[in-house]
C-alpha cells in the first residue's frame, strides 16, 4: 500500500484542504493537555483507502496517549501506524511511524512524522494537516493531508467506536 498511495497522489494533483489547518509562519502551538483529547480513547473501525481500517487509542498515561492503526485489504494487513499524542512544552504533538504489514518501517529509525497542535475545541482537535472530530458518542471523523512532491490530497476517515 505504501507504493499505491504515492502513485494515486500523483494523479490527484494539488488539492485545498477543507477540514485541516496549518500554523501560520512564526505562530506557536497553543497551551493544551491530554484532558482536551481524552474523548479519543477507545477502539474505532471504519472503511477507507479501499479497505477496512482500525485505530485503537489508550487512555492517557505518562503524558501520552498511545495508538495503533491498521489498514486491511482482502484479509491482509496493508500497513500499520504506531504513535502517540504527547504533552510536550505545555502543548500537544501527534507523532507516528508507518510500517508495512511485515513491520518493516517506512521512516528511518530516528525519524517520526510529527503534527503540531494548531487549535483545540470541545470534541475537535486540529493538528497541522490532521483533524480529529467526535461527531457523537460513538462516531469520529479524521481528516489528514497526504502526498508527496508538492501534490497533496485530504483524506477523510469515518470511524465508529466498537468498544
Amino acid at each position: 500500500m505504501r507504493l499505491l498511495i504515492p502513485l494515486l497522489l500523483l494523479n490527484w494533483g494539488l488539492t485545498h484542504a477543507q477540514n485541516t489547518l496549518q500554523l501560520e509562519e512564526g505562530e506557536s502551538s497553543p497551551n493544551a493537555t491530554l484532558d482536551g483529547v481524552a474523548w479519543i480513547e477507545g477502539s474505532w473501525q471504519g472503511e477507507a483507502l479501499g479497505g477496512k481500517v482500525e485505530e485503537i487509542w489508550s487512555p492517557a498515561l505518562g503524558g501520552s496517549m498511545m495508538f495503533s492503526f491498521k489498514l486491511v485489504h482482502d484479509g491482509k494487513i496493508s500497513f500499520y501506524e504506531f504513535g502517540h499524542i504527547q504533552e510536550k512544552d505545555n502543548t500537544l504533538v501527534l507523532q507516528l511511524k508507518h510500517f508495512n504489514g511485515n513491520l518493516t518501517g517506512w521512516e528511518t529509525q530516528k525519524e517520526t512524522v510529527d503534527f503540531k497542535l494548531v487549535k483545540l475545541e470541545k470534541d475537535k482537535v486540529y493538528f497541522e494537516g490532521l483533524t480529529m472530530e467526535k461527531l457523537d458518542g460513538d462516531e469520529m471523523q479524521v481528516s489528514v493531508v497526504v502526498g508527496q512532491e508538492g501534490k497533496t490530497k485530504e483524506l477523510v476517515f469515518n470511524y465508529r467506536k466498537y468498544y
Side-chain angles (χ1 to χ4, degrees):
M1 188 62 188
R2 180 177 182 207
L3 296 176
L4 178 60
I5 292 173
L7 290 175
L8 288 172
L9 292 175
L10 291 175
N11 295 325
W12 286 339
L14 185 61
T15 302
H16 294 286
Q18 296 179 343
N19 301 307
T20 57
L21 300 174
Q22 298 290 326
L23 289 171
E24 296 294 327
E25 183 71 31
E27 186 179 8
S28 298
S29 293
N31 288 346
T33 67
L34 290 170
D35 291 338
V37 295
W39 56 268
I40 299 169
E41 177 188 336
S43 299
W44 304 86
Q45 287 185 342
E47 293 186 16
L49 301 172
K52 294 183 185 282
V53 291
E54 177 181 55
E55 281 193 32
I56 302 171
W57 284 89
S58 74
L61 180 64
S64 77
M65 290 178 69
M66 179 178 57
F67 80 92
S68 63
F69 166 94
K70 68 179 169 184
L71 172 64
V72 177
H73 283 106
D74 299 323
K76 295 183 181 176
I77 304 296
S78 293
F79 74 94
Y80 293 104
E81 291 177 353
F82 298 102
H84 63 185
I85 297 176
Q86 180 181 35
E87 291 179 349
K88 187 174 180 182
D89 300 326
N90 298 315
T91 191
L92 301 174
V93 63
L94 189 151
Q95 297 176 299
L96 61 86
K97 286 182 163 276
H98 296 91
F99 297 88
N100 293 314
N102 64 2
L103 290 181
T104 55
W106 296 11
E107 291 83 20
T108 64
Q109 183 177 359
K110 294 183 180 184
E111 181 182 22
T112 58
V113 178
D114 297 355
F115 299 87
K116 294 179 183 178
L117 181 66
V118 177
K119 185 173 158 182
L120 181 59
E121 299 174 349
K122 182 181 176 351
D123 297 334
K124 193 168 190 176
V125 59
Y126 296 90
F127 293 96
E128 285 195 312
L130 189 148
T131 301
M132 304 173 82
E133 180 178 14
K134 180 180 173 183
L135 301 176
D136 67 27
D138 67 348
E139 291 184 64
M140 175 172 64
Q141 183 177 74
V142 177
S143 302
V144 62
V145 175
V146 297
Q148 70 177 28
E149 299 175 13
K151 297 178 181 186
T152 60
K153 172 87 175 165
E154 186 179 83
L155 301 177
V156 177
F157 297 76
N158 292 301
Y159 291 103
R160 182 165 294 282
K161 197 176 230 182
Y162 67 94
Y163 71 88

